[in-house]
Amino acid sequence: MLDKMRNIGIMAHIDAGKTTTTERILFYTGKSHRIGEVDDGEAIMDWMEQEQERGITIQSAATTTYWRGYQINIIDTPGHVDFTAEVERSLRVLDGAIAIFDAVRGVEPQTETVWRQARRYNVPCVGYVNKMDRLGADFFFVLDDVHKKLKIETAALQIPIGKESSFEGVIDLIEMKEIHWQNKGEEMKVVDISPNREGLAKQWREKLIDTLSGVSDLVTEKYLNGDELEKALLKSEIRKAVIERKILPIFAGASRRNIGVQPVIDAIVDYLPAPDEIRPAIGHKQKKDSIEDVTIPCDPKGQALGLVFKIQNDREAGSLCYVRMYSGLIKSGTAVYNVGKKKRERANRILRMHSNKSDAIDSLSAGDIGVIIGMKLAQTGDTIGTEGLPVLLEKMQFPEPVISISIESKTISDQDKLKEILAILSKEDPTFTIRENDETGQLIISGMGELHLDVLVTRILKEYKLGAKVGNPQVTYRESISNVNEHTETFSRVLAGKENAAKITLRVEPAKRGMGNNYFYAAKSSKSEAPQEILDAIERGIKGAFSSGIVMGYPCIDITATVTDIQYSEQTGTEFAFEACANMAFDEACRAANPILLEPIMAVDLNSPHDFVGEVMSLVTQRGGQILSMNAKADEDEIKAQAPMEKMFGFMTSLRSVSQGRANFSLEFSHFEKKIER
Ligand code: GDP
Ligand code: MG
């Protein structure tokens, strides 16, 4: 049944019409019985109260629907860069995506960001040019813009009939028929191509065949021989090329006016891959002192292996863990094993989610997406699977939190409740972190941008109805080391009359920038033999130390820590002693390894009318920014720059004032660099 399954997402720049299009898809596939209008704040996927108020999609929700006998799991992805964690996590579990473009605006800066991510995860895509009814809509401009900016071969499978207010349908270039929509889009009428449009249709059909010849030998051969190009052959060759990401087939429509949506649903089935048609997932097999990469074939009969890609907290049901299964199957009411945390948990119930309801199912198997209820320890990014199979699925790459604010409850008695809520929120969102300042006891929350933290604080106030005060946003720095160092730490403490002792030798070394932290155990001497619980305690101690900093208390990055020796005695060697000793060993080893402070550098994408571009660029350089490129377009200039986060606070206000409110920008984390004094 795998061939009858699709896991897809819909990605776009904010406002391109993702929510509206998803709504229409759910409507036509028969799962929702009214069409929710985004503008009325009643769209079905945007179920969070706040999303409705802001009119943007924040959390991805997975929804299952059916079309032509195929099961389609749709994962909604947000368009705003402050929520790239959501985009990343959904792309990680998708097998294909619909990329939506606005017919007037074409490719926008955030579309490029999302496209880069889709490329990183090798996600095959089909393109949809929405809003063909808007004033200034230009299908052919968008084709060209996509080709130039996203650097992919585009293949128009349709051309629009009419545009702006007279947009009424499309010409299907494979069937060579016109499709018109009537009666609120529920009736599709397929007719012969009108004689006055025949010329244009033939011309674009030629272009399509030409593009396909570039990627398919079969098409080239038949074309050169003058043989007939059957529809089925064209479709299967397009399918192959899409799955290999060689072409982007493009459709046209106006979702709000119910024009053009059904062919896009057909495209999901016809051109996007089934779970076993894409490259198998990669897992990391944990060995004692190294990690080996293994491929995970999508096989329902294999050993169970799945990825928790999303957690939502439900007041009644508890944690809803969204899981993508890659291999094997998990049965409802049985134990599942959390591979990273080395703990068993129970999958009490398994649900298939629809946009506004859910069905209990007996099991979830390879290729499928569903929700497991009952797991308390699982966090976003965790691998669940089979005990005795130490394979971790490839990590999700979440952007780093770069902005922090302090937060405290209005009344002292609410402080513990605030901590609880923050813990729930950070479990749902791995780019949101909390730490407590050791000296002041103040709670510091960190996120990816001002909007991100703003949304979280609003949720605390509104959804959880807890009064809280927040401080001014500040940069979250990181700490790392610049030298290799080895250190031996001993620990000994008498507790309740019993001695707790440990001795650990730890080597720390700087890893390449961006590689993250790594932990290895390589102690081999005869004295170092210790039970698994002790080795686990050491690992906990080191990993705990990663997050608490070296000198300034900021999280550590890009450090490889290797235990090279330990001394363990059965009488005094307790888990407590080894965890504490490992923690201290890490701090001491790093302190003498020339610690450094790293600062977040942001990618700044700007659009400015020609008249203000000089002021805009000097504003960026005044703030320590570097201009990387400038691209002149008809009505405005696009500038790409990089700047340190610490100089970017309040940038929006300054930008507005130098450009009379006409320039706009997006800010996204790029990388960490050694902090320089300015
Ligand atoms: P999202 O941010 O990508 O989820 O976009 P939405 O679906 O929320 O749509 C953004 C705005 O564009 C809303 O006001 C929609 O009503 C409007 N919109 C969506 N589709 C169309 C369309 O086909 N034509 C026009 N003119 N407006 C549309
Ligand atoms: Mg939306």
Side-chain angles (χ1 to χ4, degrees), residues 13-20 38-39 55 57 130-131 133-134 254-257:
H13 186 275
I14 191 156
D15 264 6
K18 195 167 41 212
T19 304
T20 309
V38 178
D39 308 299
T57 308
N130 185 34
K131 303 200 187 185
D133 61 324
R134 264 187 74 187
S255 297
R256 196 169 72 183
R257 293 190 39 201

Side-chain angles (χ1 to χ4, degrees), residues 242-262:
V242 169
I243 293 175
E244 288 168 13
R245 285 183 55 88
K246 287 186 179 154
I247 60 165
L248 182 69
I250 303 210
F251 296 80
S255 297
R256 196 169 72 183
R257 293 190 39 201
N258 306 301
I259 301 179
V261 179
Q262 294 93 332

Side-chain angles (χ1 to χ4, degrees), residues 335-398:
V336 282
Y337 187 65
N338 187 316
V339 181
K341 298 202 165 66
K342 301 179 177 147
K343 294 267 196 252
R344 275 158 167 268
E345 294 209 81
R346 251 185 105 71
N348 289 336
R349 282 196 294 154
I350 304 179
L351 303 179
R352 184 173 302 300
M353 306 302 280
H354 304 291
S355 56
N356 49 0
K357 65 174 182 87
S358 56
D359 293 331
I361 50 177
D362 293 338
S363 63
L364 195 67
S365 69
D368 207 350
I369 286 173
V371 163
I372 297 184
I373 291 184
M375 300 195 296
K376 294 191 183 70
L377 298 169
Q379 283 177 298
T380 303
D382 281 2
T383 299
I384 53 173
T386 318
E387 216 162 334
L389 181 74
V391 170
L392 285 171
L393 289 160
E394 203 167 19
K395 268 191 213 149
M396 290 197 237
Q397 302 181 24
F398 290 121

Side-chain angles (χ1 to χ4, degrees), residues 288-289 507 519-525 528 562-566:
K288 254 212 166 141
D289 53 0
R507 187 178 65 232
Y519 167 73
F520 296 112
Y521 184 85
K524 286 191 184 81
S525 74
S528 69
T562 311
V563 171
T564 53
D565 196 17
I566 67 165

Side-chain angles (χ1 to χ4, degrees), residues 136-343:
D138 186 344
F139 180 77
F140 303 104
F141 151 75
V142 179
L143 276 184
D144 200 43
D145 204 38
V146 168
H147 177 68
K148 279 204 201 112
K149 289 197 186 135
L150 305 185
K151 299 179 182 64
I152 183 147
E153 199 64 59
T154 54
L157 297 194
Q158 302 178 330
I159 52 170
I161 301 172
K163 67 172 175 181
E164 301 176 347
S165 61
S166 69
F167 175 64
E168 54 181 294
V170 298
I171 297 178
D172 179 330
L173 297 172
I174 292 180
E175 300 288 338
M176 285 306 267
K177 291 277 185 195
E178 291 191 355
I179 312 175
H180 294 257
W181 275 264
Q182 284 160 351
N183 194 10
K184 284 204 159 173
E186 287 190 55
E187 266 169 53
M188 260 170 65
K189 220 169 80 184
V190 179
V191 297
D192 287 340
I193 298 173
S194 126
N196 64 345
R197 289 190 275 265
E198 223 160 59
L200 193 67
K202 282 205 174 121
Q203 187 191 328
W204 280 93
R205 161 104 174 174
E206 280 295 302
K207 274 196 198 187
L208 172 61
I209 303 297
D210 194 48
T211 306
L212 290 181
S213 316
V215 293
S216 157
D217 292 341
L218 246 148
V219 173
T220 314
E221 210 182 291
K222 290 217 167 197
Y223 183 66
L224 290 179
N225 290 341
D227 293 347
E228 194 200 334
L229 289 158
E230 304 94 354
K231 291 165 201 165
L233 172 92
L234 289 179
K235 283 189 179 173
S236 71
E237 292 303 293
I238 294 171
R239 178 179 183 80
K240 272 188 221 152
V242 169
I243 293 175
E244 288 168 13
R245 285 183 55 88
K246 287 186 179 154
I247 60 165
L248 182 69
I250 303 210
F251 296 80
S255 297
R256 196 169 72 183
R257 293 190 39 201
N258 306 301
I259 301 179
V261 179
Q262 294 93 332
V264 177
I265 316 177
D266 282 334
I268 296 172
V269 164
D270 292 338
Y271 304 129
L272 293 178
D276 58 349
E277 283 178 304
I278 50 161
R279 267 185 227 181
I282 304 285
H284 303 300
K285 193 161 188 171
Q286 201 81 33
K287 303 221 162 152
K288 254 212 166 141
D289 53 0
S290 66
I291 295 168
E292 179 191 286
D293 284 0
V294 289
T295 51
I296 319 283
C298 179
D299 177 6
K301 294 201 179 68
Q303 278 186 289
L305 207 55
L307 181 76
V308 176
F309 67 94
K310 168 91 188 165
I311 292 186
Q312 273 168 357
N313 191 61
D314 183 274
R315 288 220 200 105
E316 279 155 37
S319 280
L320 306 184
C321 296
Y322 285 77
V323 173
R324 157 83 195 238
M325 288 304 290
Y326 286 92
S327 169
L329 126 174
I330 284 177
K331 279 200 181 118
S332 154
T334 64
V336 282
Y337 187 65
N338 187 316
V339 181
K341 298 202 165 66
K342 301 179 177 147
K343 294 267 196 252

